Amino acid sequence: QGACGYILSNSEEVFYPGKGLVMAATCEWVDVGDGLRAYYGAPEGSGPHPCIVVYIEAFGVNDHFQKLTQRLADEGFATITPDIYDGEIYAYDNLDGAIGKLKAMDDETVMAQTEQCLDWLAGRTEADTSRAAVTGFCMGGRYAFLANAQLASRFKGAAAFYGGGIGPEEDFVGRKTLLDRIQEMQTPILLWYGSEVQSIQPDELGRCLLYTSDAADDLHCRVLVGPRHFTNTKQHTKPLKHLQST
């Protein structure tokens, strides 16, 4: 296989290169062990299908992320969205509650949960974990960056959408900044940002551009900046591509 595919989220139809239209994926909550659950989308057909791990924003595995899991599974990816919030969901207007939960998150715990999900996928006949990628949004974009470094041997590519906390001089909630981890990466990563998003300052974007431009050429690290906030709604028409497999 070449590039794994595209998100065409302004349409109910999706295209998976070499497969044509793929629909009717099955999504459900699953127990991946040790009390961790995840929302999992199994594509139609026996596969084995490439895999994607999806990290949430700061609001939990809400309806948006269940729909995103469904869309990616419809596209032909075995898609798993770990419930790193342990069932907690925050309304979009409850920013204080969401930020309070974000502050309590532990990077090492989330990475261990990610490995649990990958190990669970490895036991599924329809999933090919040798062709796994990781993506995330906002808080989850930072986790996608971290996973592509800390769990580098387990991923073939990554895309982080508006991942705050990757490269500030000092993170506003006290998290470790991550740009020094880029040399641990073995596979491509795309960082998507909206230049008008006030929560991620221009100096952080500048540092991300500097560090990725200095990375090894074969990493294909790229920072893509558009005028608006990239979202995971149906109005999001940017492709998630170049999550390459071997």
Side-chain angles (χ1 to χ4, degrees):
Q1 297 289 338
C4 290
Y6 302 85
I7 296 176
L8 302 178
S9 55
N10 61 335
S11 170
E12 291 301 318
E13 296 184 338
V14 291
F15 180 71
Y16 180 47
K19 299 290 184 180
L21 292 177
V22 180
M23 300 297 290
T26 301
C27 291
E28 61 181 343
W29 285 103
V30 297
D31 181 356
V32 300
D34 295 331
L36 176 65
R37 67 173 192 161
Y39 197 68
Y40 175 60
E44 186 178 35
S46 59
H49 303 282
C51 303
I52 292 185
V53 176
V54 178
Y55 291 118
I56 57 173
E57 297 172 323
F59 302 96
V61 187
N62 55 19
D63 185 60
H64 269 304
F65 278 89
Q66 291 183 35
K67 288 179 179 178
L68 177 60
T69 303
Q70 176 77 53
R71 291 204 306 274
L72 287 167
D74 282 343
E75 190 178 345
F77 297 101
T79 305
I80 193 161
T81 303
D83 186 10
I84 59 176
Y85 268 21
D86 195 25
E88 294 185 42
I89 296 176
Y90 297 86
Y92 284 115
D93 59 2
N94 184 10
L95 188 58
D96 289 342
I99 295 300
K101 179 66 176 179
L102 182 154
K103 288 179 178 179
M105 299 299 290
D106 176 71
D107 287 350
E108 294 305 314
T109 297
V110 174
M111 292 301 101
Q113 292 172 327
T114 304
E115 292 201 273
Q116 281 183 255
C117 288
L118 290 167
D119 291 343
W120 183 87
L121 284 170
R124 305 284 297 190
T125 58
E126 76 276 9
D128 180 3
T129 53
S130 72
R131 295 184 292 147
V134 61
T135 190
F137 299 79
C138 199
M139 175 189 76
R142 179 181 175 275
Y143 283 134
F145 187 98
L146 177 60
N148 200 46
Q150 187 160 327
L151 307 179
S153 66
R154 306 201 68 167
F155 293 113
K156 297 299 184 186
F161 291 84
Y162 49 98
I166 293 173
E169 287 188 349
E170 184 176 350
D171 185 61
F172 80 106
V173 295
R175 298 171 296 181
K176 294 179 181 178
T177 58
L178 301 177
L179 284 177
D180 62 343
R181 306 288 301 268
I182 198 167
Q183 297 302 329
E184 299 173 44
M185 296 182 182
Q186 301 175 16
T187 53
I189 187 167
L190 293 176
L191 306 180
W192 298 79
Y193 290 102
S195 60
E196 296 175 3
V197 178
Q198 296 181 358
S199 61
I200 302 174
Q201 297 301 308
D203 62 332
E204 179 173 356
L205 297 181
R207 278 189 291 276
C208 289
L209 286 164
L210 178 63
Y211 272 75
T212 54
S213 65
D214 287 343
D217 290 340
D218 58 356
L219 275 181
H220 305 295
C221 297
R222 297 291 183 268
V223 179
L224 304 175
V225 181
R228 295 187 297 275
H229 193 297
F230 293 110
T231 70
N232 63 328
T233 66
K234 287 185 179 294
Q235 286 71 41
H236 176 215
T237 58
K238 291 289 183 182
L240 175 62
K241 59 182 181 177
H242 305 308
L243 297 180
Q244 297 174 343
S245 53
T246 56

Coordinates of all heavy atoms in Angstrom, one line a residue, residues 88-170:
E88 N -15.3 10.7 31.3 CA -15.7 12.1 31.6 C -15.8 12.8 30.2 O -14.9 12.7 29.4 CB -14.7 12.7 32.5 CG -14.6 12.2 33.9 CD -13.7 13.0 34.8 OE1 -13.7 14.2 34.7 OE2 -12.9 12.3 35.5
I89 N -16.9 13.6 30.1 CA -17.1 14.4 28.9 C -17.5 15.8 29.4 O -18.3 16.0 30.3 CB -18.2 13.8 28.0 CG1 -17.8 12.5 27.5 CG2 -18.6 14.8 26.9 CD1 -18.9 11.8 26.7
Y90 N -16.9 16.8 28.8 CA -17.2 18.2 29.1 C -17.8 18.9 27.9 O -17.4 18.7 26.8 CB -15.9 18.9 29.5 CG -15.2 18.3 30.7 CD1 -14.4 17.2 30.6 CD2 -15.5 18.8 32.0 CE1 -13.8 16.6 31.8 CE2 -14.9 18.3 33.1 CZ -14.1 17.2 33.0 OH -13.5 16.6 34.1
A91 N -18.8 19.7 28.2 CA -19.5 20.5 27.2 C -18.5 21.5 26.6 O -17.6 21.9 27.4 CB -20.7 21.2 27.7
Y92 N -18.7 21.9 25.4 CA -17.7 22.9 24.8 C -17.7 24.2 25.5 O -16.7 25.0 25.4 CB -18.0 23.0 23.3 CG -17.5 21.8 22.5 CD1 -18.4 21.0 21.8 CD2 -16.2 21.5 22.4 CE1 -18.0 19.9 21.1 CE2 -15.8 20.4 21.6 CZ -16.7 19.6 21.0 OH -16.2 18.6 20.3
D93 N -18.8 24.5 26.2 CA -18.8 25.8 26.9 C -18.3 25.7 28.3 O -18.3 26.7 29.1 CB -20.2 26.4 26.9 CG -21.3 25.5 27.5 OD1 -20.9 24.4 28.0 OD2 -22.5 25.9 27.5
N94 N -17.9 24.5 28.7 CA -17.3 24.3 30.0 C -15.8 24.2 29.9 O -15.2 23.1 30.2 CB -17.9 23.0 30.7 CG -17.4 22.8 32.1 OD1 -16.8 23.7 32.7 ND2 -17.7 21.6 32.6
L95 N -15.2 25.3 29.5 CA -13.8 25.3 29.2 C -13.0 25.1 30.5 O -11.9 24.4 30.6 CB -13.3 26.5 28.5 CG -11.9 26.6 28.0 CD1 -11.6 25.5 27.1 CD2 -11.6 28.0 27.4
D96 N -13.5 25.7 31.6 CA -12.8 25.6 32.9 C -12.7 24.1 33.3 O -11.7 23.7 33.8 CB -13.5 26.4 34.0 CG -13.3 27.9 33.8 OD1 -12.3 28.3 33.0 OD2 -14.0 28.7 34.3
G97 N -13.8 23.4 33.2 CA -13.8 22.0 33.6 C -12.9 21.2 32.7 O -12.1 20.3 33.2
A98 N -12.9 21.5 31.4 CA -12.0 20.7 30.5 C -10.5 21.0 30.8 O -9.7 20.1 30.8 CB -12.3 21.1 29.0
I99 N -10.2 22.2 31.0 CA -8.8 22.6 31.3 C -8.4 22.0 32.6 O -7.2 21.5 32.8 CB -8.6 24.1 31.3 CG1 -8.8 24.7 29.9 CG2 -7.2 24.5 31.8 CD1 -7.9 24.1 28.8
G100 N -9.3 22.0 33.6 CA -9.0 21.3 34.9 C -8.6 19.9 34.7 O -7.7 19.4 35.3
K101 N -9.4 19.2 33.9 CA -9.1 17.8 33.6 C -7.8 17.6 32.8 O -7.0 16.7 33.1 CB -10.2 17.1 32.8 CG -10.0 15.7 32.4 CD -10.0 14.8 33.6 CE -9.9 13.3 33.3 NZ -9.9 12.5 34.5
L102 N -7.5 18.5 31.9 CA -6.3 18.4 31.1 C -5.1 18.6 32.0 O -4.1 17.9 31.8 CB -6.3 19.5 30.0 CG -5.1 19.7 29.1 CD1 -5.6 20.4 27.8 CD2 -4.0 20.5 29.7
K103 N -5.2 19.5 33.0 CA -4.1 19.7 33.9 C -3.7 18.4 34.7 O -2.6 18.2 35.1 CB -4.4 20.8 34.9 CG -4.4 22.2 34.2 CD -4.7 23.3 35.3 CE -4.7 24.7 34.7 NZ -5.0 25.7 35.7
A104 N -4.7 17.6 34.9 CA -4.5 16.4 35.7 C -4.0 15.2 34.9 O -3.7 14.2 35.5 CB -5.9 16.0 36.4
M105 N -3.9 15.4 33.6 CA -3.4 14.3 32.8 C -1.9 14.0 32.9 O -1.1 15.0 33.2 CB -3.7 14.6 31.3 CG -5.2 14.7 31.0 SD -6.2 13.2 31.4 CE -5.6 12.1 30.1
D106 N -1.5 12.8 32.8 CA -0.1 12.4 32.9 C 0.4 11.8 31.6 O -0.2 10.8 31.1 CB 0.0 11.4 34.1 CG 1.5 10.8 34.2 OD1 2.3 11.6 34.6 OD2 1.7 9.7 33.8
D107 N 1.5 12.3 31.1 CA 1.9 11.8 29.8 C 2.3 10.4 29.8 O 2.0 9.6 28.8 CB 3.2 12.6 29.4 CG 2.9 14.1 28.9 OD1 1.7 14.4 28.8 OD2 3.9 14.8 28.8
E108 N 2.9 9.9 30.8 CA 3.4 8.5 30.8 C 2.2 7.5 30.9 O 2.2 6.5 30.3 CB 4.3 8.2 32.0 CG 5.6 9.0 31.9 CD 6.4 8.6 30.6 OE1 6.4 7.4 30.2 OE2 6.9 9.6 29.9
T109 N 1.1 8.0 31.6 CA -0.1 7.1 31.6 C -0.7 7.1 30.3 O -1.1 6.0 29.8 CB -1.1 7.7 32.6 OG1 -0.5 7.7 34.0 CG2 -2.4 6.9 32.7
V110 N -0.8 8.2 29.6 CA -1.4 8.2 28.2 C -0.6 7.3 27.3 O -1.2 6.6 26.4 CB -1.6 9.6 27.7 CG1 -2.1 9.6 26.3 CG2 -2.6 10.4 28.6
M111 N 0.7 7.4 27.3 CA 1.5 6.6 26.4 C 1.3 5.1 26.8 O 1.3 4.3 25.8 CB 3.0 7.0 26.6 CG 3.3 8.4 26.0 SD 2.9 8.6 24.3 CE 1.4 9.5 24.4
A112 N 1.2 4.7 28.0 CA 1.0 3.3 28.4 C -0.4 2.9 27.9 O -0.5 1.8 27.4 CB 1.1 3.2 29.9
Q113 N -1.4 3.8 27.9 CA -2.7 3.4 27.4 C -2.7 3.3 25.9 O -3.4 2.4 25.3 CB -3.7 4.5 27.8 CG -4.0 4.5 29.3 CD -4.8 5.7 29.8 OE1 -4.7 6.8 29.2 NE2 -5.6 5.6 30.8
T114 N -1.8 4.1 25.3 CA -1.7 3.9 23.8 C -1.1 2.6 23.5 O -1.6 1.9 22.5 CB -0.7 5.1 23.3 OG1 -1.3 6.3 23.7 CG2 -0.6 5.0 21.8
E115 N -0.1 2.1 24.2 CA 0.5 0.8 23.9 C -0.6 -0.3 24.2 O -0.6 -1.3 23.5 CB 1.7 0.6 24.8 CG 2.9 1.5 24.4 CD 4.2 1.0 24.9 OE1 4.6 1.3 26.0 OE2 4.8 0.2 24.1
Q116 N -1.4 -0.1 25.2 CA -2.5 -1.0 25.4 C -3.4 -1.2 24.2 O -3.8 -2.3 23.8 CB -3.4 -0.6 26.6 CG -2.8 -0.9 28.0 CD -3.7 -0.5 29.1 OE1 -3.5 0.5 29.8 NE2 -4.8 -1.2 29.3
C117 N -3.7 0.0 23.6 CA -4.6 0.0 22.5 C -3.9 -0.7 21.3 O -4.6 -1.5 20.6 CB -5.0 1.4 22.1 SG -6.2 2.2 23.3
L118 N -2.7 -0.4 21.1 CA -1.9 -1.1 20.0 C -1.8 -2.6 20.2 O -2.0 -3.4 19.2 CB -0.6 -0.4 19.8 CG -0.6 1.0 19.3 CD1 0.8 1.6 19.5 CD2 -0.9 1.1 17.8
D119 N -1.6 -3.0 21.4 CA -1.5 -4.4 21.7 C -2.9 -5.1 21.5 O -2.9 -6.2 21.0 CB -1.1 -4.6 23.2 CG 0.4 -4.2 23.4 OD1 1.1 -4.1 22.4 OD2 0.8 -4.1 24.6
W120 N -3.9 -4.4 21.9 CA -5.3 -4.9 21.6 C -5.6 -5.0 20.1 O -6.1 -6.1 19.7 CB -6.3 -4.0 22.3 CG -7.7 -4.5 22.2 CD1 -8.4 -5.3 23.1 CD2 -8.7 -4.1 21.2 NE1 -9.7 -5.5 22.7 CE2 -9.9 -4.8 21.5 CE3 -8.7 -3.3 20.1 CZ2 -11.0 -4.7 20.7 CZ3 -9.8 -3.2 19.3 CH2 -11.0 -3.9 19.6
L121 N -5.2 -4.0 19.4 CA -5.4 -4.1 17.9 C -4.6 -5.3 17.3 O -5.0 -5.9 16.4 CB -4.9 -2.8 17.3 CG -5.8 -1.6 17.4 CD1 -5.1 -0.3 16.9 CD2 -7.1 -1.8 16.6
A122 N -3.4 -5.5 17.9 CA -2.6 -6.6 17.3 C -3.2 -8.0 17.5 O -2.9 -8.9 16.7 CB -1.2 -6.6 18.1
G123 N -4.2 -8.1 18.4 CA -5.0 -9.3 18.5 C -6.2 -9.4 17.6 O -6.9 -10.4 17.7
R124 N -6.4 -8.4 16.8 CA -7.6 -8.4 15.9 C -7.2 -8.8 14.5 O -6.2 -8.2 13.9 CB -8.2 -7.0 15.8 CG -8.5 -6.4 17.2 CD -9.8 -7.0 17.8 NE -11.0 -6.7 17.0 CZ -12.2 -7.0 17.4 NH1 -12.4 -7.5 18.6 NH2 -13.2 -6.7 16.6
T125 N -7.8 -9.8 13.9 CA -7.5 -10.3 12.6 C -7.7 -9.2 11.5 O -7.0 -9.3 10.5 CB -8.2 -11.5 12.3 OG1 -9.7 -11.3 12.3 CG2 -7.9 -12.7 13.3
E126 N -8.6 -8.3 11.7 CA -8.9 -7.3 10.7 C -7.9 -6.1 10.7 O -8.0 -5.2 9.9 CB -10.3 -6.8 10.8 CG -10.6 -5.8 12.0 CD -10.8 -6.4 13.3 OE1 -10.7 -7.6 13.4 OE2 -11.2 -5.7 14.2
A127 N -7.0 -6.0 11.7 CA -6.2 -4.9 11.9 C -4.7 -5.3 11.7 O -4.2 -6.3 12.1 CB -6.3 -4.4 13.3
D128 N -4.0 -4.4 11.0 CA -2.6 -4.6 10.7 C -1.8 -3.6 11.4 O -1.6 -2.4 10.9 CB -2.4 -4.6 9.1 CG -0.9 -4.8 8.8 OD1 -0.1 -5.0 9.7 OD2 -0.6 -4.7 7.5
T129 N -1.3 -3.9 12.6 CA -0.6 -2.9 13.4 C 0.8 -2.6 12.8 O 1.5 -1.7 13.3 CB -0.5 -3.3 14.8 OG1 0.1 -4.7 14.9 CG2 -1.8 -3.3 15.5
S130 N 1.3 -3.3 11.8 CA 2.5 -2.9 11.2 C 2.3 -1.7 10.3 O 3.3 -1.2 9.8 CB 3.1 -4.1 10.3 OG 2.3 -4.3 9.2
R131 N 1.1 -1.4 10.0 CA 0.7 -0.2 9.3 C -0.1 0.7 10.2 O -1.3 0.9 9.9 CB 0.0 -0.5 8.0 CG 0.9 -1.3 7.0 CD 0.2 -1.6 5.7 NE -1.0 -2.5 5.9 CZ -2.1 -2.4 5.2 NH1 -2.3 -1.5 4.3 NH2 -3.0 -3.3 5.3
A132 N 0.4 1.3 11.2 CA -0.3 2.1 12.2 C 0.1 3.5 12.1 O 1.3 3.8 11.9 CB -0.2 1.5 13.6
A133 N -0.8 4.4 12.3 CA -0.5 5.9 12.3 C -1.2 6.4 13.6 O -2.1 5.8 14.2 CB -1.0 6.5 11.1
V134 N -0.9 7.7 13.9 CA -1.5 8.3 15.0 C -1.8 9.8 14.7 O -1.1 10.4 13.9 CB -0.5 8.3 16.3 CG1 0.8 9.0 15.9 CG2 -1.2 8.9 17.5
T135 N -3.0 10.2 15.2 CA -3.4 11.6 14.9 C -4.1 12.1 16.2 O -4.5 11.3 17.1 CB -4.4 11.7 13.7 OG1 -4.6 13.1 13.4 CG2 -5.7 11.0 14.0
G136 N -4.2 13.4 16.3 CA -4.9 14.0 17.5 C -5.2 15.5 17.2 O -4.6 16.1 16.3
F137 N -6.0 16.0 18.1 CA -6.5 17.4 17.9 C -6.4 18.1 19.2 O -6.7 17.6 20.3 CB -8.0 17.3 17.5 CG -8.3 16.6 16.2 CD1 -8.3 15.2 16.2 CD2 -8.5 17.4 15.1 CE1 -8.5 14.6 15.0 CE2 -8.7 16.7 13.8 CZ -8.7 15.3 13.8
C138 N -5.8 19.3 19.1 CA -5.6 20.2 20.3 C -4.7 19.5 21.3 O -3.6 19.1 21.1 CB -6.9 20.7 20.8 SG -6.8 22.1 21.9
M139 N -5.3 19.2 22.5 CA -4.6 18.4 23.5 C -4.1 17.1 22.9 O -2.9 16.6 23.1 CB -5.5 18.1 24.7 CG -4.9 17.1 25.7 SD -6.0 16.5 27.0 CE -7.0 15.3 26.0
G140 N -4.9 16.5 22.1 CA -4.6 15.2 21.4 C -3.5 15.4 20.3 O -2.8 14.4 20.0
G141 N -3.4 16.6 19.7 CA -2.3 16.8 18.8 C -1.0 16.8 19.5 O 0.0 16.3 18.9
R142 N -0.9 17.3 20.7 CA 0.3 17.2 21.5 C 0.7 15.7 21.8 O 1.8 15.3 21.7 CB 0.2 18.0 22.8 CG 1.5 17.9 23.7 CD 1.3 18.7 25.0 NE 2.4 18.5 25.9 CZ 2.6 17.5 26.7 NH1 1.6 16.5 26.7 NH2 3.6 17.4 27.5
Y143 N -0.4 14.9 22.1 CA -0.1 13.5 22.4 C 0.3 12.8 21.1 O 1.1 11.8 21.2 CB -1.4 12.9 23.0 CG -1.6 13.2 24.4 CD1 -2.8 13.6 24.9 CD2 -0.5 13.1 25.3 CE1 -3.0 13.9 26.3 CE2 -0.7 13.4 26.7 CZ -1.9 13.8 27.2 OH -2.1 14.0 28.5
A144 N -0.2 13.2 20.0 CA 0.2 12.5 18.7 C 1.7 12.8 18.5 O 2.4 11.9 18.0 CB -0.6 13.0 17.5
F145 N 2.1 14.0 18.7 CA 3.5 14.3 18.6 C 4.4 13.5 19.5 O 5.4 12.9 19.2 CB 3.7 15.8 18.9 CG 5.1 16.3 18.6 CD1 5.4 17.0 17.4 CD2 6.1 16.2 19.5 CE1 6.7 17.5 17.1 CE2 7.4 16.7 19.3 CZ 7.7 17.3 18.1
L146 N 3.9 13.4 20.8 CA 4.7 12.7 21.8 C 4.7 11.2 21.4 O 5.8 10.6 21.6 CB 4.0 12.9 23.2 CG 4.6 12.1 24.3 CD1 6.1 12.4 24.5 CD2 3.9 12.3 25.6
A147 N 3.6 10.6 21.0 CA 3.6 9.2 20.7 C 4.5 8.9 19.5 O 5.1 7.8 19.5 CB 2.1 8.8 20.4
N148 N 4.6 9.8 18.5 CA 5.4 9.5 17.4 C 6.9 9.6 17.7 O 7.7 9.0 17.0 CB 5.1 10.6 16.3 CG 5.6 10.1 14.9 OD1 5.3 9.0 14.5 ND2 6.2 11.0 14.2
A149 N 7.2 10.1 18.9 CA 8.6 10.1 19.4 C 8.8 9.0 20.4 O 9.6 8.1 20.1 CB 8.9 11.4 20.1
Q150 N 8.0 8.9 21.4 CA 8.2 7.9 22.5 C 7.9 6.5 22.0 O 8.5 5.6 22.5 CB 7.3 8.3 23.7 CG 7.6 7.4 24.9 CD 7.2 8.1 26.2 OE1 7.2 9.3 26.3 NE2 6.7 7.3 27.1
L151 N 6.9 6.3 21.1 CA 6.6 5.0 20.6 C 6.9 4.9 19.2 O 6.2 4.4 18.4 CB 5.1 4.8 20.9 CG 4.5 5.0 22.3 CD1 3.0 4.8 22.3 CD2 5.3 4.1 23.3
A152 N 8.1 5.4 18.8 CA 8.4 5.6 17.4 C 8.4 4.3 16.6 O 8.0 4.3 15.4 CB 9.8 6.2 17.3
S153 N 8.8 3.2 17.2 CA 8.8 1.9 16.5 C 7.5 1.4 16.1 O 7.4 0.5 15.3 CB 9.6 0.9 17.3 OG 8.9 0.6 18.5
R154 N 6.4 2.0 16.7 CA 5.1 1.4 16.5 C 4.2 2.2 15.5 O 3.1 1.7 15.2 CB 4.4 1.3 17.8 CG 5.2 0.6 18.9 CD 4.3 0.0 20.0 NE 3.4 -1.0 19.6 CZ 2.8 -1.8 20.4 NH1 3.0 -1.7 21.7 NH2 2.0 -2.8 20.0
F155 N 4.7 3.3 14.9 CA 4.0 4.1 14.0 C 4.7 4.3 12.7 O 5.9 4.4 12.7 CB 3.6 5.4 14.6 CG 2.6 5.3 15.8 CD1 3.1 5.6 17.1 CD2 1.4 4.9 15.6 CE1 2.2 5.5 18.1 CE2 0.5 4.8 16.7 CZ 0.9 5.1 17.9
K156 N 3.9 4.4 11.6 CA 4.4 4.7 10.3 C 4.2 6.2 9.9 O 4.6 6.6 8.8 CB 3.8 3.8 9.3 CG 4.0 2.3 9.5 CD 5.5 2.0 9.4 CE 5.8 0.5 9.5 NZ 7.2 0.2 9.6
G157 N 3.5 6.9 10.7 CA 3.3 8.3 10.4 C 2.4 9.0 11.4 O 1.7 8.3 12.2
A158 N 2.3 10.3 11.4 CA 1.5 11.0 12.4 C 1.0 12.3 11.8 O 1.7 12.9 10.9 CB 2.3 11.3 13.6
A159 N -0.1 12.8 12.3 CA -0.6 14.1 11.9 C -1.2 14.7 13.2 O -2.1 14.1 13.8 CB -1.7 14.1 10.8
A160 N -0.7 15.9 13.6 CA -1.2 16.6 14.8 C -1.9 17.9 14.4 O -1.3 18.7 13.7 CB 0.0 16.9 15.7
F161 N -3.2 18.0 14.7 CA -4.0 19.2 14.4 C -4.0 20.1 15.6 O -4.5 19.8 16.6 CB -5.4 18.8 14.0 CG -5.4 18.0 12.7 CD1 -5.2 16.6 12.6 CD2 -5.7 18.7 11.5 CE1 -5.2 15.9 11.4 CE2 -5.7 18.0 10.3 CZ -5.5 16.6 10.2
Y162 N -3.6 21.4 15.3 CA -3.6 22.5 16.3 C -3.1 22.0 17.7 O -3.8 22.2 18.7 CB -4.9 23.3 16.4 CG -6.2 22.5 16.4 CD1 -6.8 22.3 17.7 CD2 -6.8 21.9 15.3 CE1 -8.0 21.6 17.7 CE2 -7.9 21.2 15.4 CZ -8.6 21.1 16.6 OH -9.7 20.3 16.7
G163 N -2.0 21.3 17.7 CA -1.5 20.7 19.0 C -0.8 21.7 19.9 O 0.4 22.0 19.7
G164 N -1.5 22.3 20.8 CA -0.9 23.3 21.7 C 0.0 22.6 22.7 O -0.3 21.4 23.2
G165 N 1.1 23.2 23.2 CA 1.9 22.6 24.2 C 3.1 21.8 23.6 O 3.9 21.3 24.4
I166 N 3.2 21.8 22.3 CA 4.4 21.1 21.7 C 5.6 22.0 21.8 O 6.7 21.4 22.2 CB 4.1 20.8 20.2 CG1 3.0 19.7 20.1 CG2 5.4 20.3 19.5 CD1 2.5 19.5 18.7
G167 N 5.5 23.3 21.5 CA 6.8 24.1 21.5 C 6.7 25.4 22.1 O 7.5 26.3 21.7
P168 N 5.9 25.7 23.2 CA 6.0 27.0 23.8 C 7.3 27.1 24.7 O 7.9 26.0 25.0 CB 4.8 27.0 24.7 CG 4.5 25.6 25.0 CD 4.9 24.8 23.8
E169 N 7.7 28.3 25.0 CA 8.8 28.4 25.9 C 8.4 27.8 27.3 O 9.2 27.2 28.0 CB 9.2 29.9 26.1 CG 9.9 30.4 24.8 CD 10.5 31.8 25.1 OE1 10.1 32.4 26.1 OE2 11.3 32.3 24.3
E170 N 7.2 28.1 27.7 CA 6.7 27.5 28.9 C 5.2 27.2 28.7 O 4.4 28.1 28.3 CB 6.9 28.5 30.1 CG 6.4 28.0 31.4 CD 6.7 28.9 32.6 OE1 7.4 29.9 32.3 OE2 6.2 28.7 33.7

